[in-house]
């Protein structure tokens, strides 16, 4: 099989694996399993996995700022999970999942502001498309105490702000990877992420598990089924690890192919699953949310084809 085709298949499988995380958010609701439980499980699974790959003899070489970045990421994920729980009470999974996975838009802005990278016309269009996607998402009718009353403009505004904050919080990890992947170790021709990949990921996952786990325990939200919690947590953890591993296997392929397919499948996988498994309604706002979200993914990577 052609290597590019194989990379496209791996990117698609990676997207499906990561889309599983969104499905576990909705599945857990019926058993009082909140997103914080899922993110804690992902942190534990990732920490265990990278503990076997990390070189603990060199972990002391990491500077303080990497630990600070890990803490900021943990807080960003904490914000995302708390708001995701609130957003899922108000409306369907699709708009939340779409907003959560437009993280590349924040990375583009960060790279332009702090890494002096130029933003192309297509990337500007991608940013605009992402904003329109969130606007459509905030227009999806929300649920109010199980009534069928349409939300007013204040509800839509609050919902839209929540989606933006979810996007920002979930983007911290990708901004961190971008920063550490371009920040060179003083006196060496290698970046911090390139030299200490497994150690850094281990620290990030540990902080994720601790920060989200402590808050989850303090909230005293008890799942109605511990077995269900373990099962969903294992499923989300496996989806996270498999998704990242599959993505790493096709890292040498053209980024436009890999990241366009991966991002498209992640959004489509979560959105279609919400319709198929949870019977969420398909409305014009739903089409606008998903359509402009996918367009943002394609536009952000299109310049790599040119």
């Amino acid at each position: 099989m052609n290597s590019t085709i194989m990379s496209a298949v791996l990117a698609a499988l990676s997207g499906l694996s990561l889309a599983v995380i969104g499905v576990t958010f909705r599945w857990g609701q019926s058993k009082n399993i909140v997103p914080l439980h899922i993110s804690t499980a992902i942190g534990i699974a990732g920490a265990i996995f990278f503990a076997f790959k990390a070189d603990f003899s060199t972990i002391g070489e990491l500077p303080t700022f990497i630990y600070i970045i890990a803490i900021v990421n943990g807080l960003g994920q904490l914000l995302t999970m708390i708001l995701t729980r609130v957003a899922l009470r108000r409306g369907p999974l699709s708009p939340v999942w779409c907003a959560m996975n437009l993280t590349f838009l924040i990375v583009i802005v960060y790279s332009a502001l702090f890494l002096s990278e130029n933003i192309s016309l297509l990337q500007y269009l991608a940013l605009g498309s992402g904003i329109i996607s969130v606007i459509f998402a905030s227009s999806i009718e929300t649920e109010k105490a199980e009534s069928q009353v349409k939300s007013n403009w204040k509800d839509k505004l609050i919902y839209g702000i929540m989606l933006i904050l979810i996007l920002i919080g979930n983007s911290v990890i990708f901004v961190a990877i971008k920063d550490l992947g371009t920040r060179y170790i003083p006196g060496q021709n290698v970046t911090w992420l390139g030299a200490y990949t497994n150690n850094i990921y281990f620290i990030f996952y540990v902080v994720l598990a601790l920060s989200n786990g402590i808050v989850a325990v303090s909230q005293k939200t008890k799942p109605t089924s511990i077995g269900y919690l373990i099962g969903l947590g294992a499923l989300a953890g496996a989806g996270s690890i498999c998704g990242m591993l599959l993505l790493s296997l096709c890292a040498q392929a053209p980024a436009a192919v890999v990241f366009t397919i991966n991002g498209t499948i992640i959004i489509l996988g979560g959105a279609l699953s919400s319709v198929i498994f949870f019977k969420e309604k398909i409305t014009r706002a739903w089409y606008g949310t998903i359509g402009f979200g996918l367009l943002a993914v394609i536009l952000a990577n299109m310049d790599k084809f040119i």
Side-chain angles (χ1 to χ4, degrees), residues 44-237:
I44 293 172
I48 293 173
F49 178 80
F50 282 103
F52 288 100
K53 299 172 70 68
D55 182 1
F56 290 102
S57 65
T58 62
I59 204 164
E61 299 175 4
L62 296 176
T64 303
F65 77 82
I66 288 182
Y67 292 93
I68 294 175
I69 292 175
I71 292 173
V72 172
N73 174 60
L75 294 175
Q77 288 298 315
L78 182 61
L79 173 67
T80 297
M81 294 303 106
I82 291 174
L83 291 179
T84 295
R85 181 185 183 184
V86 176
L88 289 177
R89 285 176 174 174
R90 297 170 59 90
L93 171 65
S94 300
V96 178
W97 187 244
C98 184
M100 191 180 291
N101 286 285
L102 292 175
T103 52
F104 59 89
L105 299 177
I106 303 299
V107 176
I108 289 174
V109 173
Y110 176 85
S111 299
L113 293 177
F114 299 101
L115 302 179
S116 301
E117 292 186 5
N118 294 322
I119 299 180
S120 68
L121 175 60
L122 289 172
Q123 288 176 325
Y124 274 116
L125 293 174
L127 289 170
S129 183
I131 292 171
I132 294 173
S133 176
V134 174
I135 292 173
F136 269 110
S138 65
S139 299
I140 294 178
E141 291 184 6
T142 57
E143 301 170 357
K144 287 186 172 182
E146 300 182 356
S147 72
Q148 298 301 315
V149 180
K150 290 186 177 181
S151 54
N152 57 39
W153 69 269
K154 289 183 179 180
D155 291 322
K156 293 179 180 180
L157 178 61
I158 293 172
Y159 188 61
I161 292 173
M162 279 198 299
L163 294 180
I164 292 173
L165 291 176
I166 286 172
L167 167 59
I168 293 173
N170 200 46
S171 298
V172 176
I173 180 61
F174 298 98
V175 169
I177 290 173
K178 173 68 175 181
D179 184 90
L180 295 175
T182 56
R183 190 191 295 248
Y184 284 87
I185 300 174
Q188 299 185 40
N189 191 31
V190 62
T191 64
W192 286 105
L193 188 61
Y196 300 101
T197 303
N198 294 324
N199 288 2
I200 290 174
Y201 282 150
F202 171 74
I203 292 170
F204 276 28
Y205 273 112
V206 168
V207 174
L208 173 64
L210 288 174
S211 59
N212 286 234
I214 290 172
V215 175
V217 171
S218 67
Q219 288 183 341
K220 299 180 180 180
T221 302
K222 295 183 179 180
T224 57
S225 172
I226 298 300
Y228 209 77
L229 170 61
I230 294 173
L232 281 184
L235 184 62

Side-chain angles (χ1 to χ4, degrees), residues 3-20:
S3 59
T4 301
I5 296 177
M6 176 59 76
S7 295
V9 171
L10 291 174
L13 291 175
S14 169
L16 287 175
S17 297
L18 294 171
V20 168

